[in-house]
């Protein structure tokens, strides 16, 4: 087994949860695993325990709560009682307490909360804070696909998130990047406390990756592939120390781990963000 690298997390969003993928990750030194209560049709935790229960202690395991089975499929809730119970159930289904539990896409319900948004968010965070203090998980955080609705709600009344996970990479819009930066500053989060997700915006096979060459972010050091360059650039858009990525192939995961040797030119990143901002100003509201 190679030395562990905490900068890459194996996400199970689209994974079939096969044991071979987990053993392959361990062989590559990827020892962090991220899932959610609603992945795999709300069966992720149980399937992991059944197929790889002996491997889970070798990983730091993060999961998410916020989505629940509903009559029409999945429904979202920030009800503190349901969230606390979900953390408790996650620990039971996994057979171990998660190292980290994220509040999953709180913006989904905050849009309906209106003027009570800060109160709703504070109570949801307090529920995870309480679950942590009771030993149901080691820490808690917030995972947000669209962090913009959270801006303006963060204050002394809202418990501090230990970790923030947001979309990262070249396909993330400037509005999301700016919102992430605002939350990072509001909570005074170090880059080590910020995770990126969905670094390819879906799939590396999307046509956009054949049209752009992310190696421009590497300056003169362009020995990496386009996919590798896009991956390492995601650590700078916004600034994160860890990126969760979903894959079903160990070879692809190995390619991404190999990208960590790359060095991104910060000046190019800033120029890119300036271009994004200028372009957003030219777009109609």
């Amino acid at each position: 087994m190679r030395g562990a690298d905490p900068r890459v997390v194996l996400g199970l969003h689209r994974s079939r949860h096969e044991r071979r993928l987990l053993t392959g990750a361990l062989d590559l030194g990827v020892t962090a695993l991220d899932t959610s209560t609603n992945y795999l049709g709300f069966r992720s935790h149980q399937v992991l325990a059944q197929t790889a229960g002996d491997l889970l202690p070798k990983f730091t395991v993060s999961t998410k709560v916020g989505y629940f089975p509903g009559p029409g499929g999945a429904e979202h809730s920030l009800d503190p009682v349901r969230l606390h119970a979900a953390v408790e159930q996650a620990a039971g289904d996994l057979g171990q307490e998660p190292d980290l539990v994220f509040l999953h896409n709180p913006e989904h319900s905050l849009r309906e909360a209106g003027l009570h948004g800060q109160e709703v968010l504070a109570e949801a965070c307090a529920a995870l804070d309480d679950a942590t203090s009771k030993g149901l998980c080691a820490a808690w955080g917030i995972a947000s696909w669209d962090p913009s609705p959270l801006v303006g709600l963060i204050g002394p009344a809202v418990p501090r998130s230990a970790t923030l996970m947001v979309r990262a990479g070249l396909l993330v819009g400037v509005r999301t990047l700016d919102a992430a930066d605002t939350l990072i500053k509001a909570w005074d989060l170090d880059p080590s406390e910020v995770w990126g997700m969905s670094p390819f915006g879906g799939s590396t096979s999307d046509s956009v990756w054949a049209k752009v060459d992310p190696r421009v972010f590497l300056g003169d050091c362009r020995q990496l592939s386009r996919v590798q360059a896009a991956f390492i650039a995601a650590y700078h858009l916004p600034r994160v120390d860890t990126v969760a990525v979903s894959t079903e192939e160990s070879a692809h995961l190995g390619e991404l781990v190999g990208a960590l040797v790359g060095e991104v030119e910060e000046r190019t990143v800033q120029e890119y963000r300036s271009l994004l901002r200028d372009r957003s100003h030219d777009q109609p509201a």
Side-chain angles (χ1 to χ4, degrees):
M1 184 186 299
R2 301 181 190 178
D5 197 317
R7 299 182 67 195
V8 180
V9 176
L10 175 59
L12 298 181
H13 182 215
R14 295 184 177 88
S15 167
R16 291 190 291 266
H17 291 48
E18 294 177 352
R19 183 182 178 90
R20 64 171 180 84
L21 184 58
L22 273 62
T23 57
L26 289 172
D27 289 341
L28 291 166
V30 176
T31 58
L33 198 61
D34 179 64
T35 187
S36 180
T37 53
N38 62 311
Y39 289 176
L40 207 66
F42 290 94
R43 295 184 301 114
S44 177
H45 297 158
Q46 296 96 320
V47 172
L48 279 174
Q50 291 164 7
T51 61
D54 60 317
L55 297 179
L56 290 184
K58 300 179 180 180
F59 289 92
T60 55
V61 179
S62 58
T63 190
K64 311 178 194 74
V65 295
Y67 290 97
F68 300 87
E75 63 181 28
H76 193 271
S77 175
L78 292 179
D79 177 77
V81 175
R82 296 183 77 180
L83 292 172
H84 193 283
V87 179
E88 192 169 16
Q89 183 176 347
D93 289 344
L94 285 167
Q96 66 183 60
E97 289 76 24
D99 296 279
L100 177 60
V101 174
F102 288 106
L103 181 61
H104 200 178
N105 294 343
E107 67 273 11
H108 192 129
S109 290
L110 286 174
R111 293 189 180 95
E112 303 170 2
L115 297 176
H116 302 288
Q118 187 178 63
E119 180 183 351
V120 170
L121 180 62
E123 290 180 354
C125 291
L128 296 194
D129 209 32
D130 183 61
T132 303
S133 67
K134 290 180 178 176
L136 297 176
C137 57
W140 70 275
I142 288 179
S144 175
W145 188 258
D146 177 12
S148 299
L150 302 182
V151 173
L153 300 183
I154 304 306
V158 180
R160 182 183 184 273
S161 171
T163 306
L164 175 68
M165 178 156 63
V166 291
R167 280 184 292 156
L170 294 169
L171 299 186
V172 179
V174 68
R175 178 172 171 265
T176 298
L177 290 173
D178 287 346
D181 284 344
T182 299
L183 293 180
I184 291 167
K185 184 177 181 180
W187 269 316
D188 193 24
L189 295 172
D190 185 83
S192 64
E193 299 170 311
V194 187
W195 291 18
M197 60 177 164
S198 193
F200 302 106
S203 172
T204 55
S205 61
D206 289 348
S207 60
V208 64
W209 301 116
K211 299 175 182 176
V212 300
D213 190 347
R215 287 174 291 192
V216 296
F217 287 88
L218 304 178
D220 296 330
C221 183
R222 301 193 182 188
Q223 76 275 21
L224 300 182
S225 68
R226 291 188 180 199
V227 167
Q228 288 178 313
F231 184 66
I232 196 64
Y235 285 82
H236 298 261
L237 295 161
R239 183 72 189 185
V240 302
D241 271 10
T242 300
V243 173
V245 61
S246 296
T247 182
E248 292 199 337
E249 298 300 331
S250 296
H252 177 50
L253 188 62
E255 182 183 14
L256 300 183
V257 171
L260 298 178
V261 300
E263 294 287 342
V264 172
E265 287 192 334
E266 188 60 36
R267 177 177 56 84
T268 306
V269 172
Q270 295 308 318
E271 289 174 355
Y272 175 73
R273 290 194 63 163
S274 294
L275 287 172
L276 284 181
R277 188 164 289 107
D278 290 345
R279 186 183 179 191
S280 70
H281 292 158
D282 295 335
Q283 299 293 322

